[in-house]
Amino acid sequence: MGEQGDHAPVLGSVLTGRRDPGTPTAGEARVGESGAQPTSAAPDPASAVPDRGTLRLALVVGGLVLAVLLGFGLGRVDGTASPATAGGDSAVTDHSHTPGTGAHSHGVDQGAATEAGGLAVSRDGWTLHPSGVEFTAGRAGELRFQIRDAQRRPATRFAVVHDRPMHLIVVRRDLTGYQHLHPTMAADGTWSVPLTLPQPGVWRAYADFTAVADDGRQTATTLGVDLVVPGEYAPRPLPAAATGATVDGFTVDSTGTPQPGLTAPLTFRVTGPGGAPAALERYLGAYGHLVALREGDLGYLHVHPEPEAADGTVTFWVTTPTPGRYRLYLDFQVGGTVRTAEFTVDVP
């Protein structure tokens, strides 16, 4: 389990292996003054027609409002964001809700929001390129890989999301052996992380990152690749669905039911060995980190937490694309130690 450094970059900053480009300038809008003249009719002291100065002021104000509206619309169409202000799709501040909000859709973009990630080695113009995929069961090894663009150039600029520029999730295809790791990047864009796979079988590695293109555009993407551990593979059946789990003396209870095609709240309450609410600490910029994997194809889901926690309770907003069984992995930190509670959830 990767640990946070004392000087971790702030959310929304950019890790780069080369010189950062200059900050893009914002577009400017200019509004001209009107030279409208009053009518030739004789002035009427009781008339409601404004004088020349009032008309000029009204036209200037109206022009400013129109320019702002046009600028906002163009910004929405362009869809770009500067590295200093944009986070990834799993940023804490990007998905807050009013307490008590029920399941809901996200409008026209809901199809994209519910699509599972990690099913392909190449997507959105980026490709995961590992230097090797075979490991020996139980032996310490190292996973090395690059993220390459459409021209097969190694990417070296990544936005920092949840305190890290790269999150690596590794799990065996029977959804056992979950690991959440944080590789480090060399100047040439090669990521590396120590990795031990304890059992034979096929393992799935997910690279969850937000790449920054040369023009400053950010793309939040999850790519996946299979790792192979030769030997006799004896897959374990997925545990039955449950609302509670225990880990290292801590009890974790969940409330809420994910719904296909909708974003629904899922709340976890963590209590200590004595039954008192656990004093949750921030881990990866939040009071918990949740990964959901779909049984069968191991589709990877981004899950959004609320920014605050109270009495050992934290709420996540889960969007499941289809009915089925999902395995949930909740990372939480108490007393400086990160633990993982695992759940099976049936989505009707």
Side-chain angles (χ1 to χ4, degrees):
M1 189 72 61
E3 297 181 357
Q4 299 183 52
D6 294 333
H7 303 284
V10 296
L11 176 66
S13 61
V14 175
L15 176 72
T16 176
R18 62 174 184 266
R19 178 179 62 85
D20 285 336
T23 303
T25 59
E28 296 180 353
R30 296 185 179 180
V31 179
E33 293 186 352
S34 169
Q37 301 291 329
T39 62
S40 60
D44 182 0
S47 173
V49 176
D51 59 18
R52 181 176 179 178
T54 303
L55 280 172
R56 178 178 296 177
L57 178 62
L59 289 172
V60 170
V61 172
L64 287 171
V65 171
L66 179 60
V68 170
L69 291 175
L70 287 173
F72 176 77
L74 290 173
R76 297 279 288 184
V77 172
D78 181 62
T80 60
S82 68
T85 58
D89 63 358
S90 57
V92 175
T93 56
D94 286 348
H95 200 93
S96 60
H97 300 79
T98 302
T101 303
H104 60 278
S105 67
H106 282 178
V108 295
D109 294 330
Q110 182 64 12
T114 60
E115 183 181 356
L119 297 176
V121 73
S122 184
R123 178 179 175 181
D124 300 327
W126 303 100
T127 299
L128 172 59
H129 190 276
S131 60
V133 297
E134 185 171 316
F135 289 77
T136 301
R139 179 181 299 176
E142 183 181 58
L143 178 63
R144 296 169 58 86
F145 63 92
Q146 291 181 335
I147 303 299
R148 297 182 179 178
D149 63 15
Q151 287 74 44
R152 298 187 61 79
R153 300 173 301 179
T156 56
R157 300 182 66 231
F158 297 82
V160 175
V161 180
H162 282 309
D163 284 354
R164 294 291 188 275
M166 178 70 68
H167 297 265
L168 184 74
I169 304 299
V170 181
V171 66
R172 200 167 68 160
R173 280 208 163 262
D174 60 357
L175 297 174
T176 63
Y178 168 88
Q179 299 183 50
H180 184 167
L181 308 171
H182 299 111
T184 57
M185 187 186 73
D188 67 350
T190 298
W191 294 89
S192 61
V193 63
L195 178 61
T196 301
L197 301 179
Q199 303 292 335
V202 178
W203 295 69
R204 189 70 174 173
Y206 303 89
D208 185 346
F209 61 92
T210 297
V212 182
D214 291 340
D215 59 4
R217 286 182 297 175
Q218 298 190 18
T219 305
T221 305
T222 302
L223 302 178
V225 65
D226 282 342
L227 308 176
V228 179
V229 181
E232 184 177 350
Y233 173 42
R236 302 176 187 174
L238 195 64
T243 58
T246 58
V247 52
D248 293 343
F250 289 86
T251 299
V252 184
D253 295 304
S254 66
T255 304
T257 302
Q259 302 178 37
L262 295 177
T263 299
L266 189 59
T267 298
F268 296 92
R269 185 171 186 268
V270 184
T271 56
L280 296 178
E281 300 166 349
R282 287 193 178 274
Y283 169 60
L284 301 177
Y287 289 101
H289 189 278
L290 185 65
V291 168
L293 300 177
R294 181 171 56 193
E295 183 185 35
D297 62 359
L298 273 64
Y300 177 99
L301 304 183
H302 293 284
V303 185
H304 306 269
E306 289 290 341
E308 300 299 331
D311 297 326
T313 300
V314 60
T315 298
F316 294 83
W317 291 84
V318 183
T319 308
T320 49
T322 61
R325 304 181 79 195
Y326 294 79
R327 190 67 169 167
L328 273 55
Y329 307 88
L330 172 68
D331 295 329
F332 64 93
Q333 180 171 299
V334 177
T337 300
V338 178
R339 299 170 174 87
T340 302
E342 301 184 15
F343 297 82
T344 299
V345 174
D346 289 329
V347 177

